[in-house]
Amino acid sequence: MAVTKPSSGPDPILLTLFANRFMSVAEAMGRSLQQTSISTNIKERLDFSCALFAPDGDLVANAPFIPIHLGSMSFAVKYQMKLHGKELKDGDVLMTNSPHAGGSHLPDITIITPVFDKGTNEIIFFTASRGHHADIGGILPGSMPPTSVNIFEEGAEIVSLKIVNDGTFDKKGLYEYMVEKPAQYPGSSGCRNIKDVESDIKAQIAANHKGVQLITAIVDDYSLETVQEYMYHIRNNAENSVRSLLRDVVKKSGTNFLSAVDYLDDGTPIQLKVEINEEEGSAVLDFEGTGCEVRGNLNAPISVVHSAVIYCMRAMLNVDIPLNAGCLVPIEIKIPKKCLLSPSRTAAVCGGNVLTSQRIVDVVLKAFHACAASQGCTNNLTFGTGGKDKNGTAIAGWGYYETIAGGSGSGPGWHGTSGVHTHITNTRIGDVEILERRYPILVHRFGLRPGSGGKGKWNGGDGVIREFEVMQGMQVSILSERRTRAPYGMAGGEPAMMGRNTWVKQRRAEDSDIPEETSEEDMRPRHINIGGKATVFMGKGDRLLIETPGGGGWGRPDEGQFESTDERKHPWEARGSLAERAAAQAGF
């Protein structure tokens, strides 16, 4: 079926139709990836994203996956385009994870598939998927080491690998990059469960292929000219929506200049100044004043900064449009060189993608006076076994990774949500039943942390408590923030409670923590605050108690007309694309 090109502007019905058709492509890719993957991280936690990109590499449409992936994947697609140029052919698939090449952090592996026109053999679209793989090597199981000081300690780095060349899967190349190369660095190991990674990579390739089939079918139905025309109309619609938002901000605030600052737990500032051109509906976001690159892993690649900003722009829009590249057209982002938002080539970055990114979001929303601070953290937990022993011998093992929910910040007219993955994470937490069945772990507690949200006219959401016991000796690591600086309230609202990580350690003779003369009290477990970023070897029977931060309050508490905390509890029900996604999954 061919559709006549609109003579004057986009047809509103076709505009909505194509927006949903493009989104449905990404959703179908996501369902395919979830159903064919085998790892807990992708199959159950849904730590992946799928999206459709224009031939110039700009984001066209996505399903409601992980915002931190979606904003930065465009950088990865464009980097591969520059690297390979016109060398790509039908049957090629690219693989990358390097922050230098548009990646976020190393566990997030991006698979990119070009879509070719049948007649001209030119690239007309790209399909891409990014999944967080639970272990890609490095100094610790889970590949999210809280102690890393350079990128080599964080696992395999791949700038570009043609994982499928003319239809042939490069298994040897994958093994070389994932197992052999990371193990060359002192103290680092190769991937501890390469079979899982290989299987999930193939699932990503299959998901991309599903997207290729679907977008090709749309082109066959409507013609390439019409499809690409509406692709740009959708982008322009997002651009115009953001321009309107910026003009409204000036009218409501009465100023063209906005600013905000927040600090990481180590005191590093993230400074933002915003200058809005009301006439053009554009803005310059300048991060001048942000702290320099840090020795640890809280450095955030430029692509992650753009992800955070594009998410904020889309989140502040009261319009139902797909998140796409148009949201950033009116925005100029200035990032000073040598700061932690523009780190050097070898800087450690695994925490920047999951922690610093959350604080960037808080700072942007604070500058726009949109809402109080969220938990500002993702509470990254990893545990596992294997890797190199003291003699340098490689030992087979495994790794597990999850992020833990907290409280979201409240705003002018709403309470924060309790026990939720906030802002740009949007993943699930590991189900207790699956966790205990697949790993030597026993979950003792998992529930809300009452009273941890900031009080105000509108209360912040509460964090959660998650406590588990290890059933065998293993390395356990936590990478978290908001352990020394509380999530702030706004407009007179109170701050939320900070998070805390406590190791409940059993006393053992081999650890020399049993006194010679012991009493029953002396044999009670030790409670050790391990701080926000730590890795410990936990013996059988040890527990880790994680208490996550809440969200800040909005407005002075004495202004509130909601005296009972029960009044802020409303039954949650899925709406819009989330509900449609759940219904579609239930149909399989």
Side-chain angles (χ1 to χ4, degrees), residues 161-407:
L161 169 65
K162 196 174 284 188
I163 189 65
V164 179
N165 188 357
D166 198 21
T168 302
F169 183 78
D170 188 2
K171 184 174 182 176
K172 183 178 179 181
L174 178 66
Y175 188 87
E176 178 186 352
Y177 273 98
M178 297 299 297
V179 179
E180 296 177 354
K181 287 190 175 183
Q184 295 174 1
Y185 298 99
S188 291
S189 302
C191 177
R192 294 167 179 83
N193 49 355
I194 183 62
K195 291 183 179 179
D196 282 10
V197 172
E198 180 182 343
S199 181
D200 284 350
I201 291 292
K202 290 179 178 178
Q204 287 183 250
I205 294 170
N208 284 12
H209 183 65
K210 180 72 173 179
V212 172
Q213 292 177 315
L214 292 174
I215 193 62
T216 301
I218 295 174
V219 170
D220 291 341
D221 285 346
Y222 293 94
S223 82
L224 178 61
E225 180 184 14
T226 301
V227 171
Q228 290 193 336
E229 178 187 357
Y230 274 87
M231 174 186 71
Y232 289 109
H233 284 323
I234 291 168
R235 186 188 303 180
N236 293 338
N237 187 37
E239 175 188 343
N240 294 332
S241 297
V242 172
R243 292 189 187 278
S244 298
L245 167 70
L246 295 172
R247 294 187 180 102
D248 288 342
V249 168
V250 174
K251 292 177 182 178
K252 291 178 180 178
S253 63
T255 179
N256 295 63
F257 298 93
L258 311 172
S259 64
V261 63
D262 195 9
Y263 299 87
L264 300 176
D265 279 359
D266 66 0
T268 300
I270 298 178
Q271 177 84 45
L272 174 64
K273 296 177 182 177
V274 181
E275 182 177 354
I276 301 174
N277 185 320
E278 185 178 6
E279 183 178 345
E280 295 181 358
S282 61
V284 176
L285 276 67
D286 191 349
F287 286 92
E288 185 67 41
T290 295
C292 64
E293 177 182 311
V294 296
R295 182 174 182 269
N297 55 36
L298 294 184
N299 304 291
I302 290 175
S303 61
V304 168
V305 181
H306 282 72
S307 289
V309 172
I310 194 174
Y311 162 77
C312 291
M313 295 299 112
R314 176 60 188 87
M316 289 188 288
L317 288 175
N318 192 23
V319 183
D320 187 15
I321 61 170
L323 180 117
N324 61 59
C327 294
L328 277 186
V329 172
I331 305 294
E332 180 185 355
I333 301 174
K334 292 184 177 181
I335 302 174
K337 294 181 179 180
K338 299 182 180 180
C339 78
L340 86 159
L341 306 183
S342 180
S344 58
R345 179 71 175 77
T346 59
V349 296
C350 70
N353 178 61
V354 290
L355 299 179
T356 308
S357 59
Q358 292 280 44
R359 304 298 274 278
I360 296 170
V361 169
D362 277 346
V363 168
V364 174
L365 296 179
K366 183 180 183 182
F368 281 84
H369 210 64
C371 63
S374 71
Q375 67 159 336
C377 181
T378 47
N379 307 290
N380 303 268
L381 171 69
T382 54
F383 54 79
T385 63
K388 288 182 179 178
D389 62 14
K390 296 179 180 179
N391 300 320
T393 304
I395 300 174
W398 51 272
Y400 174 78
Y401 168 75
E402 73 175 18
T403 55
I404 304 175

Side-chain angles (χ1 to χ4, degrees), residues 361-508:
V361 169
D362 277 346
V363 168
V364 174
L365 296 179
K366 183 180 183 182
F368 281 84
H369 210 64
C371 63
S374 71
Q375 67 159 336
C377 181
T378 47
N379 307 290
N380 303 268
L381 171 69
T382 54
F383 54 79
T385 63
K388 288 182 179 178
D389 62 14
K390 296 179 180 179
N391 300 320
T393 304
I395 300 174
W398 51 272
Y400 174 78
Y401 168 75
E402 73 175 18
T403 55
I404 304 175
S408 70
S410 56
W414 72 88
H415 293 295
T417 304
S418 299
V420 66
H421 280 79
T422 54
H423 294 312
I424 51 178
T425 47
N426 200 36
T427 57
R428 289 181 181 173
I429 197 167
D431 292 331
V432 172
E433 297 82 1
I434 292 173
L435 193 60
E436 292 184 339
R437 186 168 68 242
R438 296 187 180 179
Y439 303 99
I441 289 292
L442 184 63
V443 179
H444 283 265
R445 278 196 289 173
F446 180 45
L448 295 180
R449 186 187 180 196
S452 56
K455 299 297 182 287
K457 180 177 181 179
W458 305 97
N459 295 322
D462 288 334
V464 305
I465 297 174
R466 191 162 172 90
E467 182 180 14
F468 68 90
E469 177 183 345
V470 301
M471 309 306 289
Q472 70 174 56
M474 66 179 70
Q475 196 73 31
V476 180
S477 305
I478 184 74
L479 179 58
S480 58
E481 274 280 309
R482 295 287 192 201
R483 267 50 181 178
T484 64
R485 295 176 184 269
Y488 52 80
M490 289 192 69
E494 295 179 356
M497 291 178 65
M498 295 179 288
R500 184 169 52 208
N501 308 317
T502 306
W503 178 16
V504 183
K505 182 187 181 302
Q506 301 295 330
R507 296 178 183 271
R508 300 181 184 86

Side-chain angles (χ1 to χ4, degrees), residues 548-563:
T548 70
W554 181 284
R556 296 201 336 256
D558 57 10
E559 295 178 350
Q561 58 265 51
F562 299 94
E563 297 180 2

